[in-house]
């Protein structure tokens, strides 16, 4: 019998139960993956607490992982036993073995370690769509990325620099600022010591930014809007500090005819074509060395609760994985 992290009731990290769990055999169109690692993300916290609703209780937590195909179901032609695969958007990743819709899995090239793939299927693809599709970042772009030392932030900083942008970030400690500076950022603002709005204006000689990427939420609103030039884009894609207040859209007019969007990865990889294109771009920049993946923490699957405490306590940098 394999093991998994099962949620029987919503709540704090203590509700994460490490127990026997049989994923079953793959049905039509499915593959059974023997996992090497699963990724840890704030979306897991949202499902654990009930901020995002699962369609059932109990459920196995987790949305991304990587491993080896152990068995294939009827009709599967993309993969065979022994293939190296990774996936995202599939529920149940906190497990030794998981059933995955073959259409939601991608092949992992030999140049990319499975543990790395598990760490980046959500974070790396998020960076991909943010920088290449939500706003097309290029050499003329000046951007601000909050939580620069986080999992998405460290990938985005390197990738944005690779695309030629001027990259400004925020972080909450000298150590995190230093880490971000080592991962592509031109400037990193310690928001506990400095007014990030004033510093952005200073860094940009008053021009401010073309785009602000904000996964922090409550603590950075509405100040993020004050970092944008007229007709700039505010991308709010998370809420690690708490839910945003109700927003009167008139504020976008008042702050300079701004644009705003609340994207999610799953709408950007909804088709097989988009999923494969995103994976190809992501694995390409990793394999080339343009983006180096920082796995800051690794916890055994059985210690998922402690991993959640570290994530929520802002004691993590880069990506965090649960190893099988």
């Amino acid at each position: 019998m394999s093991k998994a992290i099962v949620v029987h009731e919503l709540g704090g990290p203590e509700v994460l139960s490490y127990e026997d769990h049989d994923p079953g055999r793959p049905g039509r169109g499915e593959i059974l993956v023997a996992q090497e690692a699963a990724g840890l993300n704030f979306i897991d916290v949202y499902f654990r607490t009930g901020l995002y609703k699962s369609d059932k209780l109990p459920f196995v937590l987790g949305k991304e992982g990587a491993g080896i195909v152990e068995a294939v179901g009827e009709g599967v032609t993309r993969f065979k036993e022994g293939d190296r695969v990774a996936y995202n958007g599939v529920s149940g990743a906190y497990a030794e073995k998981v059933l995955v819709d073959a259409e939601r899995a991608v092949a992992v090239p030999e140049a990319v370690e499975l543990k790395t793939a598990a760490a980046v299927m959500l974070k790396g693809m998020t960076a991909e769509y943010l920088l290449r599709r939500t706003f097309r970042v290029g050499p003329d772009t000046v951007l601000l990325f909050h939580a620069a030392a986080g999992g998405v932030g460290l990938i985005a900083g390197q990738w944005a620099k690779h695309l030629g942008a001027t990259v400004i970030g925020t972080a909450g400690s000298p150590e995190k600022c230093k880490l971000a500076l080592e991962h592509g950022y031109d400037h990193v603002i310690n928001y506990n010591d400095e007014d990030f709005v004033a510093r952005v204006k200073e860094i940009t000689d008053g021009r401010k930014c073309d785009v602000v990427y904000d996964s922090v939420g409550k603590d950075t609103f509405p100040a993020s809007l004050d970092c944008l030039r007229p007709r700039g884009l505010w991308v709010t894609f998370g809420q690690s500090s708490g839910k945003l207040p109700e927003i009167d859209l008139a504020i976008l007019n008042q702050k300079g005819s701004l644009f705003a969007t609340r994207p999610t990865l799953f709408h950007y990889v909804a088709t097989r074509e988009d999923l494969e294109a995103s994976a190809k771009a992501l694995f390409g920049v990793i394999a080339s060395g343009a983006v180096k993946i920082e796995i800051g923490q690794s916890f055994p699957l059985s210690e998922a609760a402690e991993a959640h405490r570290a994530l929520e306590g802002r004691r993590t940098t880069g990506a965090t994985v649960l190893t099988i």
Side-chain angles (χ1 to χ4, degrees):
M1 181 70 72
S2 64
K3 295 285 189 179
I5 298 295
V6 182
V7 176
H8 293 273
E9 59 179 326
L10 304 177
E14 70 280 357
V15 305
L16 301 181
S17 176
Y18 180 64
E19 59 188 64
D20 290 340
H21 176 75
D22 182 3
R25 301 298 297 171
R28 182 173 183 83
E30 292 183 323
I31 55 176
L32 179 64
V33 179
Q35 301 217 104
E36 182 163 317
L40 176 74
N41 299 277
F42 255 102
I43 193 173
D44 305 337
V45 174
Y46 301 156
F47 275 102
R48 190 202 74 215
T49 61
L51 181 62
Y52 289 1
K53 303 300 181 184
S54 174
D55 57 3
K56 63 179 180 179
L57 274 173
F59 62 91
V60 178
L61 204 58
K63 291 289 186 181
E64 67 175 348
I68 304 295
V69 176
E70 185 172 288
V72 299
E74 183 183 354
V76 174
T77 58
R78 294 190 185 279
F79 304 107
K80 63 183 183 304
E81 292 180 21
D83 283 351
R84 306 166 79 247
V85 297
Y87 63 89
N88 64 29
V90 177
S91 298
Y94 286 19
E96 292 177 346
K97 297 183 181 182
V98 61
L99 289 174
V100 176
D101 180 346
E103 290 300 302
R104 304 312 303 164
V106 296
V108 179
E110 291 294 334
V112 178
E113 293 183 359
L114 284 174
K115 186 176 178 181
T116 298
V120 300
M121 288 300 291
L122 280 173
K123 301 175 189 70
M125 285 191 177
T126 295
E128 184 277 322
Y129 86 75
L130 290 174
L131 299 176
R132 299 174 74 244
R133 291 186 281 163
T134 302
F135 185 99
R136 195 160 187 84
V137 169
D140 296 329
T141 305
V142 179
L143 67 86
L144 174 66
F145 209 103
H146 288 300
V152 178
L154 292 182
I155 296 171
Q158 297 173 82
W159 205 332
K161 193 75 231 166
H162 177 64
L163 294 170
T166 298
V167 193
I168 306 169
T170 67
S173 71
E175 294 78 17
K176 289 186 175 184
C177 289
K178 180 176 182 293
L179 183 64
L181 286 168
E182 294 169 351
H183 288 77
Y185 288 85
D186 298 294
H187 311 273
V188 184
I189 303 160
N190 185 337
Y191 57 74
N192 285 321
D193 293 342
E194 299 181 278
D195 178 340
F196 69 80
V197 174
R199 280 289 290 134
V200 164
K201 290 179 181 177
E202 180 182 355
I203 290 166
T204 62
D205 294 325
R207 180 183 181 275
K208 300 191 282 189
C209 298
D210 301 292
V211 57
V212 172
Y213 296 105
D214 189 346
S215 64
V216 176
K218 179 171 66 70
D219 288 356
T220 48
F221 181 82
S224 286
L225 303 183
D226 294 319
C227 296
L228 285 165
R229 62 165 177 80
R231 302 192 306 278
L233 175 64
W234 175 50
V235 183
T236 170
F237 67 101
Q239 48 196 29
S240 61
S241 69
K243 189 176 180 180
L244 285 165
E246 295 295 324
I247 298 172
D248 181 351
L249 290 180
I251 195 173
L252 300 177
N253 171 31
Q254 297 161 7
K255 299 288 186 179
S257 296
L258 304 178
F259 294 88
T261 184
R262 177 53 173 98
T264 184
L265 169 63
F266 305 118
H267 292 147
Y268 279 83
V269 294
T271 68
R272 182 71 198 180
E273 181 181 11
D274 283 340
L275 177 66
E276 289 187 342
S278 185
K280 181 179 179 180
L282 174 60
F283 292 148
V285 292
I286 293 172
S288 74
V291 173
K292 295 178 173 60
I293 302 305
E294 183 81 19
I295 298 180
Q297 302 75 216
S298 180
F299 294 83
L301 179 64
S302 59
E303 295 180 12
E306 183 54 36
H308 273 234
R309 292 185 185 99
L311 181 66
E312 291 179 275
R314 301 193 181 186
R315 292 185 279 114
T316 64
T317 57
T320 302
V321 295
L322 303 175
T323 55
I324 311 302

